[in-house]
Amino acid sequence: MTHQMQSRIVPANSEWIAEAGQMLRGGALVAFPTETVYGLGADATNGEAVARIFEAKGRPVFNPLIVHVLGLEQALIIGSLSALARRLTEAFWPGPLTLVASRTANTDISPLVSAGLPTVALRAPDHPVARELLAAAHRPLAAPSANRSGHVSATRAEHVAADIGGKAALILDGGSTMHGLESTVLSVIDDAPVLLRPGAITAEAIEDVIGGRLARREEAVGHLTSPGQLASHYAPNARLRLNAYDWQPDEAVLAFGPVAEKRAHAFINLSESGDLIEAAANLFAALRALDASGAASIAATPVPPTGLGEAINDRLRRAAAPRG
Ligand code: TXA
Ligand code: MG
């Protein structure tokens, strides 16, 4: 017998959806049905809520998440959509097509949603419960599939409960999802769209709309210029020094926990209290700010390798890796 807290499975009626919307606004996680699979949702503008998604999924790395919106109007505040991208939304939204676009300059979507990339994935789901929840929350919702990392996606509320246990404050039960297959993910950053993940909408259906053949991810690898289009990562210009206990006055410092501040080119503490959720929420903005300070080197103090610390350390190691 386990003593793990059980998530509360409730019927996806208007009362519970309104309640779930309030909970999301308060920073809680709510699992909900979409037409593809169940999603584990958080307010996409709340970095700590988004960090809790990664904690719940048990992912050792930060993969970028899809932002769910009601439609094009809301999407345009978040991502820059070309004329072609808009045509695709006219053809397939609401529905299981996710578009990866450049983030707008002033978007309030947490950088953690994009895993620090300059891009954002947008989708307008077609499920009535998902749509009512988006309206109730009054927020764009970041939501990966509501399964633990490495497990298959959940198509029923009971699967969500079995997989992520007490991590969601609420699971809205809307029955079995229709497609049972995730959304198709398409990069529309460049003029020629690239299929990043095959899914519920076929490549052929997309090709009918764009009037040409769609490049597949494998084909695009060699000539993509935008770092956001592949499972790439944010790499600072500055050299990053890991597990630093001390630093030079001309270095920028990325601290974690109760680190005594002394002279440095710039100094940011991810979480003075040593809270990994707070640290994850601050990570990408902090890296960018320290990089922008102009220091040639960033000294990062140790982050424990447990829980979300695993994903934080993974990102720091990648940012520190030599680049050609
Ligand atoms: O059907 C779906 O899409 C479900 C439901 C809940 O909406 N969601 C889902 O999310 O499958 P997730 O996190 O399991 O998968 C998101 C996919 C990943 O393959 C991720 O790499 C890609 O979208 N993605 C998200 N943002 C991206 C970005 N900025 N650049 C490239 N790929 C991105
Ligand atoms: Mg998934």
Side-chain angles (χ1 to χ4, degrees), residues 34 36-40 57 59 63-66 68 98 100 113-114 117 119-121 123 143-145 181-183 185 196-197 228-230:
T34 79
T36 57
V37 297
Y38 276 75
L40 179 63
K57 297 249 331 165
R59 261 182 194 164
N63 288 330
L65 304 174
I66 296 172
H68 296 68
T98 296
V100 174
V113 168
S114 300
L117 297 168
T119 56
V120 62
R123 123 165 168 86
S145 49
L181 182 68
E182 288 94 340
S183 65
V185 180
L196 297 182
R197 178 178 77 179
Q229 281 186 304
L230 298 171

Side-chain angles (χ1 to χ4, degrees), residues 33-34 38 127 155-157 173-178:
T34 79
Y38 276 75
H127 196 291
T155 54
R156 297 164 59 103
D173 187 352
S176 291
T177 59
M178 188 172 91

